Amino acid sequence: MKYAAKKLAALLATMLAVSFLAFAAFQVVAGDPATDRLGTEATPQRVAELRHEMGLDRPFLVQYGSWLGGFVTGDPGQSYSGGPVADLLSARLPVTLTLSLMAFALTLALALPLGLRSVRRGGRLEGAVNTVANQFLMALPPFFTGILLTWLFSILLHWFRHGAFPGFGADVGGSLWYLLFPAVALAIPRVAQTVRMLRSTVLAEMDKDYVRTAIARGNDRSGVLYRHVLKNSLVPVVTFLAQTMAEIVAGSIVVEQVFNLPGLGRLLLTSISGRDYPTVQAIVVILALWVVLANTAADLINRFIDPRLGGART
Amino acid sequence: MLEIRDLHVKFHSRCKEAVAGVSLSIADGEILGLVGESGSGKSVTAMSVAGLLPRKQCSYSGDVLLDGQDLLHADRAALRKIQGRDIGVVFQEPQSSMDPLMKIGRQIEECLYLHTDMNPAERRARALSAMARVELPEPETLYDKYPHQLSGGMLQRAMIAAAAVIHPKLLLLDEPTTALDVTIQSQILELLKRLNREYGMSMLFISHNLNVVRRITSRVAVMQTGVIVEAGATEEVYSNPQHPYTKKLVAAIPSRNKPDFDSNM
Amino acid sequence: MKTLQKAVRAHRNACFIAGCIITGVLLALILLGAVWTPYDPTAMRGSETLLPPSFTHLFGTDNFGRDIFSRVLKGAGFTALVAGGTVAIGGLFGTLIGALTGYFGGAVDEALMRLNDTITAFPSILLALVCVAVFGSGKYQVLLVLGIVFIPSFARVSRTAFAALRDANFVQSARLMGAGSARILFVHMLPNTLHILLPALTIGFNNAVLAEASMSFLGLCGQPPEASLGALLSEAQGMFVTAPWYALCSGGMIVALIFGVGLIGEGLQDGRGDRNA
């Protein structure tokens, strides 16, 4: 419990630092949004009025404080494109969230059995085929696979209509079905990576002394693997999976573009090119929160698995 | 009971045989010592008895018979039935030889889980009594501890309890006291002696330390570069070594320590 | 043992050789593309639009009649340049920082590694996207941004490698013989970390290719008409129905680049953990 509290404090500290950096960085590059909005021909008086209206004449830390306060209470400010950022986010967050979770679930569901299978079957030829297939699958960028999947399943087989994402408000089942294809594109290289990681971790674990003890007690290969080695291999794998979650989120930004999905990634892109910094800032903080949450969760799970982490409970 | 006849083991990665024609036998209830420096082939001999030779990486010949059953050439499935049930093994480093993420109690009862059809409650009771027998304090509490929470000496007791819980015919002890400090060492030796006396368990005790072997065994075999150079009653070998290598080993023992060690018998 | 080791080594060697061949061919093509392409990659020929691959146009043409082979060569050059530059910057500074902190340790090491752990938790593409939003998306800006973004991951690998050797016997004996820190670090330790650093470089290169391709796919790297493979692929997606070979060739080039270097990395790895394979 104490450990969880400490982790939570670290999480908050990290998020505070990230949000401050994001805020400061965009404050610097944004220039003067009031001038931006009014154009260069506006009178200085009008600009000053708008600056006051937007709260830009306050000290930097006060601006940060009020922005952070707003963010925490669900109001991360006004978009330069008009309308509150919160409205933009609330429409798009579920899409990206669902897509990432689907891709992650797919990765888990495929990588764990495949990884264990590759450990149990250790033939020479199969090993070589595994390695090459692994490297090849890892080389498939999700945006390229996405295009190929679109061609196969949308243009050729008509399993889904590219560009016609129904939206969760209209059709939940249809939306999930549509998201399955980008999720597959995202998952393919991750599955290959995870299989490889799992395999090398388990094989390294197999060389440990306690494995010899387990064999000496009369365990068969699967007894050794499932009763002993697997649990011992889990800690690095869980850490790796948190990293994978983060990579999936990053990849989904690109894949959303391929599949014409109204998610955070596309919002981020339009905001970047439209110089809509309040929106960019909010998205950056949300994505960061996601990454930090995944890592914190991994730490907590690992502590649950391995009592040696974080000291003995005697 | 255990009969090794003309055992040869050669690893593919080495040009010399690790074990070059070893023959020895252990009678019921006997403790045999196997002494030699590292690389003399004593551990490989033990591994062939325990069925732990990496078979794909070496060639082997000869007979290893446990009550007439061939261990060296038995197939994996047959071997697994013997491992743990008829032969228990205790290794040198208790810290690394125990699964770090499995509770002590569960490791101790693993042999029961694998080789008997006891239910969990029976297994637990049996494990607890085994823990008491190896003089682990507060078995109920220790049962739920993890290896990193125990000292080396306690872990080695737990290892012995795990190997002995099912009363195997033979206990293989591969340098069981080497990683422990001296006082713990003699406690463990006393414990082993008692197990041998009370349950008639045969033991193969492997050590590079002649002094330790002398305290627990009645017969000893001395190995050098894969062959047994001298064998006989322990006191005989100790007081009147014949082979030059044995003489060197005996001469290397700091004799002053002897009375202190023996006093707590 | 020996036969197994041999088998593993042979298999790794095969990976290494295959990777070298693929990468070598691609590199030759890229260098060729830098000085000569069969057609002007930006020239539009109205009479030759949407031609499928043939001997006159190896990868076909797009719907403006541009030769895709020429475009892919130029694009691969662009991508390889940015990725190579990224690895050069990230690898150089990362290795240096990691070597120094790993060797000397202390409070600076602690603090830097904490910071490092936090930064490497974020995917490099994400960091690069944010930086590009701040600094702009020219070719050299992206190269610089990616290079900086890649420093922490290299630093982490190199720190681990150097810290592991800090107390090795040969390092201590060098120290006793009066060798200076710089000499110990670069003459004695560096060669012994290469088996870790080189595979890390190949992985870094592949991540850089992916990051660059992703960013140019999103239109955030380079200005038209110079186009990287990612930008070509994004263009090709729009004409997938009429000219599928465009997407296949530009995407395939990305895959081939990553696959080749990945195989080299696989071959370079010391085989630990794969002993039982």
Side-chain angles (χ1 to χ4, degrees):
Chain A
M1 226 44 243
K2 212 175 129 199
Y3 181 80
K6 230 162 92 185
K7 270 284 149 201
L8 199 69
L11 187 153
L12 287 178
T14 312
M15 284 318 299
L16 210 62
V18 169
S19 65
F20 182 78
L21 279 178
F23 187 81
F26 289 114
Q27 207 71 23
V28 173
V29 286
D32 186 357
T35 324
D36 271 8
R37 204 190 272 189
L38 294 171
T40 41
E41 277 148 48
T43 60
Q45 193 197 349
R46 179 75 194 97
V47 171
E49 266 172 44
L50 187 65
R51 281 180 63 84
H52 182 72
E53 234 171 83
M54 294 170 79
L56 296 172
D57 53 353
R58 295 174 299 168
F60 176 72
L61 277 178
V62 175
Q63 287 189 47
Y64 170 64
S66 83
W67 173 77
L68 188 66
F71 188 91
V72 172
T73 51
D75 173 27
Q78 292 290 312
S79 158
Y80 291 172
S81 62
V85 173
D87 288 356
L88 291 174
L89 292 180
S90 65
R92 287 161 176 87
L93 190 58
V95 177
T96 305
L97 193 68
T98 317
L99 174 58
S100 303
L101 289 179
M102 263 172 105
F104 187 68
L106 271 176
T107 307
L108 276 185
L110 291 173
L112 295 186
L114 283 175
L116 290 178
R117 190 179 168 281
S118 86
V119 170
R120 303 196 52 174
R121 303 259 192 104
R124 243 175 86 182
L125 184 72
E126 197 161 344
V129 171
N130 260 340
T131 315
V132 174
N134 239 309
Q135 285 293 340
F136 182 74
L137 292 178
M138 277 195 273
L140 289 176
F143 47 92
F144 182 44
T145 333
I147 294 176
L148 298 182
L149 287 178
T150 307
W151 171 71
L152 181 61
F153 292 109
S154 177
I155 299 175
L156 232 56
L157 297 174
H158 303 289
W159 283 15
F160 73 102
R161 268 188 56 215
H162 180 259
F165 178 69
F168 287 113
D171 176 5
V172 175
S175 300
L176 288 177
W177 174 244
Y178 190 99
L179 286 178
L180 182 65
F181 298 93
V184 168
L186 279 171
I188 288 173
R190 300 294 147 208
V191 170
Q193 256 185 352
T194 312
V195 165
R196 191 182 137 83
M197 201 280 165
L198 192 69
R199 178 182 153 82
S200 70
T201 312
V202 168
L203 287 181
E205 203 64 33
M206 286 281 193
D207 279 349
K208 298 263 176 83
D209 282 350
Y210 70 83
V211 172
R212 192 180 56 176
T213 311
I215 297 171
R217 285 185 191 145
N219 275 293
D220 55 9
R221 205 170 152 73
S222 74
V224 171
L225 185 60
Y226 292 109
R227 228 187 327 277
H228 296 278
V229 171
L230 202 54
K231 197 175 177 195
N232 278 286
S233 312
L234 228 47
V235 167
V237 172
V238 167
T239 310
F240 179 82
L241 284 175
Q243 190 74 31
T244 300
M245 182 78 227
E247 297 284 348
I248 284 176
V249 172
S252 74
I253 293 176
V254 193
V255 166
E256 280 170 17
Q257 195 74 4
V258 178
F259 285 86
N260 256 317
L261 283 168
L264 276 191
R266 296 202 68 194
L267 181 63
L268 179 64
L269 289 176
T270 46
S271 310
I272 288 178
S273 47
R275 300 168 64 80
D276 180 2
Y277 293 111
T279 313
V280 177
Q281 204 170 298
I283 296 174
V284 167
V285 174
I286 287 178
L287 293 180
L289 179 65
W290 198 326
V291 171
V292 176
L293 270 180
N295 282 302
T296 307
D299 280 353
L300 290 175
I301 293 173
N302 275 342
R303 202 184 116 89
F304 184 70
I305 296 172
D306 189 340
R308 284 169 299 178
L309 299 170
R313 286 166 299 161
T314 29
Chain B
M1 189 210 58
L2 179 77
E3 180 86 41
I4 300 178
R5 277 194 297 245
D6 195 28
L7 175 68
H8 289 260
V9 180
K10 183 188 168 301
F11 289 98
H12 299 322
S13 54
R14 301 277 165 75
C15 41
K16 278 183 75 178
E17 282 186 325
V19 177
V22 161
S23 301
L24 48 82
S25 62
I26 302 177
D28 271 326
E30 186 188 25
I31 305 184
L32 176 74
L34 192 53
V35 192
E37 61 201 0
S38 53
S40 60
K42 58 190 195 309
S43 283
V44 178
T45 308
M47 293 305 106
S48 8
V49 176
L52 293 174
L53 275 184
R55 289 187 173 184
K56 283 182 190 158
Q57 293 160 26
C58 60
S59 52
Y60 46 89
S61 66
D63 292 309
V64 177
L65 303 172
L66 184 74
D67 284 341
Q69 191 177 3
D70 189 354
L71 300 179
L72 194 59
H73 305 283
D75 65 65
R76 279 254 147 253
L79 204 53
R80 272 201 295 276
K81 292 214 175 87
I82 299 168
Q83 288 175 319
R85 194 190 65 192
D86 294 330
I87 301 177
V89 190
V90 176
F91 295 102
Q92 175 171 356
E93 296 267 358
Q95 277 92 345
S96 61
S97 299
M98 289 205 119
D99 184 337
L101 299 186
M102 196 187 249
K103 287 178 180 169
I104 298 288
R106 304 246 301 126
Q107 302 200 45
I108 291 175
E109 57 182 53
E110 189 173 13
C111 282
L112 301 173
Y113 171 82
L114 292 167
H115 299 290
T116 69
D117 41 19
M118 289 185 188
N119 64 37
E122 287 169 341
R123 288 204 297 264
R124 186 186 160 94
R126 188 74 180 266
L128 288 175
S129 76
M131 289 165 83
R133 231 178 301 132
V134 298
E135 289 152 12
L136 279 170
E138 300 180 61
E140 294 274 354
T141 348
L142 282 188
Y143 186 93
D144 288 319
K145 297 268 185 200
Y146 289 93
H148 73 277
Q149 296 167 307
L150 270 64
S151 69
M154 280 162 93
L155 276 184
Q156 197 58 297
R157 286 171 192 276
M159 276 296 279
I160 293 169
V165 68
I166 201 169
H167 301 314
K169 296 173 188 163
L170 176 69
L171 208 53
L172 280 177
L173 303 146
D174 188 0
E175 304 258 8
T177 60
T178 308
L180 307 173
D181 61 47
V182 182
T183 45
I184 311 285
Q185 214 173 61
S186 43
Q187 289 170 13
I188 297 282
L189 290 179
E190 288 313 309
L191 171 67
L192 290 171
K193 266 191 207 171
R194 236 195 47 230
L195 284 179
N196 170 254
R197 243 188 350 256
E198 288 173 14
Y199 299 94
M201 229 176 264
S202 311
M203 298 185 187
L204 178 60
F205 190 103
I206 295 167
S207 180
H208 66 277
N209 186 335
L210 204 52
N211 210 14
V212 168
V213 168
R214 185 188 173 212
R215 296 184 50 205
I216 187 171
T217 64
S218 46
R219 264 190 337 121
V220 69
V222 181
M223 271 188 91
Q224 188 191 19
T225 57
V227 288
I228 291 179
V229 292
E230 184 163 359
T234 309
E235 277 312 312
E236 184 72 15
V237 171
Y238 192 79
S239 52
N240 186 18
Q242 299 296 314
H243 192 272
Y245 178 67
T246 321
K247 282 181 186 162
K248 269 201 306 197
L249 275 183
V250 171
I253 297 172
S255 53
R256 275 279 159 213
N257 287 345
K258 266 187 302 167
D260 294 351
F261 272 137
D262 291 356
S263 61
N264 59 6
M265 280 178 68
Chain C
M1 200 67 202
K2 210 165 215 170
T3 50
L4 255 171
Q5 273 174 352
K6 257 189 207 156
V8 168
R9 209 171 298 143
H11 153 196
R12 284 185 183 281
N13 269 341
C15 275
F16 185 72
I17 293 168
C20 282
I21 292 174
I22 296 176
T23 311
V25 169
L26 292 181
L27 200 66
L29 282 175
I30 286 170
L31 289 177
L32 175 74
V35 290
W36 177 83
T37 49
Y39 297 87
D40 177 355
T42 52
M44 305 185 189
R45 282 168 297 273
S47 56
E48 296 178 4
T49 58
L50 296 175
L51 292 177
S54 66
F55 281 113
T56 35
H57 295 285
L58 275 178
F59 289 177
T61 61
D62 66 4
N63 56 2
F64 299 109
R66 293 177 298 192
D67 178 54
I68 293 173
F69 183 63
S70 307
R71 289 181 72 69
V72 166
L73 281 193
K74 282 283 184 208
F78 184 102
T79 300
L81 177 74
V82 175
T86 299
V87 171
I89 295 176
L92 189 65
F93 288 100
T95 307
L96 206 62
I97 293 172
L100 293 176
T101 55
Y103 181 65
F104 291 109
V108 180
D109 173 44
E110 269 292 307
L112 268 182
M113 282 308 126
R114 277 288 162 79
L115 182 68
N116 238 340
D117 283 345
T118 314
I119 297 177
T120 43
F122 295 95
S124 43
I125 297 177
L126 209 58
L127 291 174
L129 266 180
V130 174
C131 291
V132 165
V134 176
F135 298 115
S137 59
K139 171 159 62 171
Y140 294 104
Q141 273 135 317
V142 171
L143 195 157
L144 203 65
V145 160
L146 279 177
I148 294 171
V149 162
F150 273 62
I151 289 177
S153 60
F154 281 114
R156 176 139 84 171
V157 174
S158 133
R159 192 204 93 100
T160 316
F162 276 88
L165 289 180
R166 184 166 48 199
D167 298 318
N169 284 333
F170 72 93
V171 174
Q172 286 189 329
S173 68
R175 214 174 288 147
L176 285 176
M177 282 160 67
S181 297
R183 189 178 161 78
I184 292 177
L185 273 173
F186 297 110
V187 179
H188 295 281
M189 290 170 91
L190 187 63
N192 289 292
T193 57
L194 286 183
H195 70 287
I196 298 171
L197 295 182
L198 288 180
L201 279 181
T202 63
I203 293 169
F205 181 82
N206 281 348
N207 285 337
V209 169
L210 260 180
E212 192 281 332
S214 304
M215 291 179 54
S216 56
F217 183 81
L218 298 174
L220 292 174
C221 176
Q223 312 294 337
E226 55 172 11
S228 101
L229 290 175
L232 296 184
L233 191 56
S234 147
E235 206 174 77
Q237 194 194 0
M239 34 183 117
F240 198 89
V241 182
T242 48
W245 50 85
Y246 192 3
L248 285 177
C249 292
S250 46
M253 192 68 174
I254 301 177
V255 176
L257 211 55
I258 299 178
F259 184 49
V261 176
L263 284 181
I264 294 183
E266 182 77 40
L268 283 174
Q269 242 143 54
D270 63 351
R272 224 185 308 141
D274 257 22
R275 217 175 304 159
N276 300 336

